[in-house]
Amino acid sequence: MSDTGRKDWSDKLKEGVTPDSTKSTQTKVGETFTDAGDKFARGIQPDSSKSTGQEFTDKVGRSKDRETHGSSGGSVLDKAKNALGMGDKH
């Protein structure tokens, strides 16, 4: 089960195990948009307000993103604030 407006973990699992070669272009494009929306929602919603399952899958997703892209681990909101010069001034 997922939080409102979020992609369910079982959908993510099915998408991940289905080879791209068997997916239509429409399916691939749809997954790209829903993945982007889910990552955005993951970044702006605090973990404290998520269900246990959603919190866990988000932490795993952030860990994978950091490993793959070398991210600093900040939330999308923090990154947007920093880009606008409104972030933490430490």
Side-chain angles (χ1 to χ4, degrees), residues 3 6 41-51 55 58 62 75 77:
D3 292 351
R6 299 295 307 278
R42 174 182 83 191
I44 63 170
Q45 182 183 11
D47 284 347
S48 61
S49 69
K50 297 175 185 175
S51 67
E55 181 181 1
D58 285 356
R62 283 192 298 267
S75 73
L77 186 58

Side-chain angles (χ1 to χ4, degrees), residues 5 8 17-18 28 46 76-77:
D8 191 72
V17 298
T18 304
K28 291 178 192 177
V76 171
L77 186 58

Side-chain angles (χ1 to χ4, degrees), residues 4-80:
T4 304
R6 299 295 307 278
K7 204 175 207 182
D8 191 72
W9 67 269
S10 62
D11 292 337
K12 292 179 187 180
L13 179 64
K14 283 186 263 185
E15 290 173 0
V17 298
T18 304
D20 282 345
S21 60
T22 65
K23 297 177 185 177
S24 69
T25 301
Q26 181 179 0
T27 299
K28 291 178 192 177
V29 169
E31 287 177 6
T32 299
F33 280 105
T34 57
D35 287 347
D38 196 59
K39 280 186 178 184
F40 179 76
R42 174 182 83 191
I44 63 170
Q45 182 183 11
D47 284 347
S48 61
S49 69
K50 297 175 185 175
S51 67
T52 303
Q54 196 71 59
E55 181 181 1
F56 175 77
T57 57
D58 285 356
K59 286 180 179 179
V60 169
R62 283 192 298 267
S63 176
K64 181 182 175 199
D65 288 349
R66 280 192 295 274
E67 183 179 306
T68 303
H69 304 293
S71 171
S72 63
S75 73
V76 171
L77 186 58
D78 291 336
K79 290 175 184 176

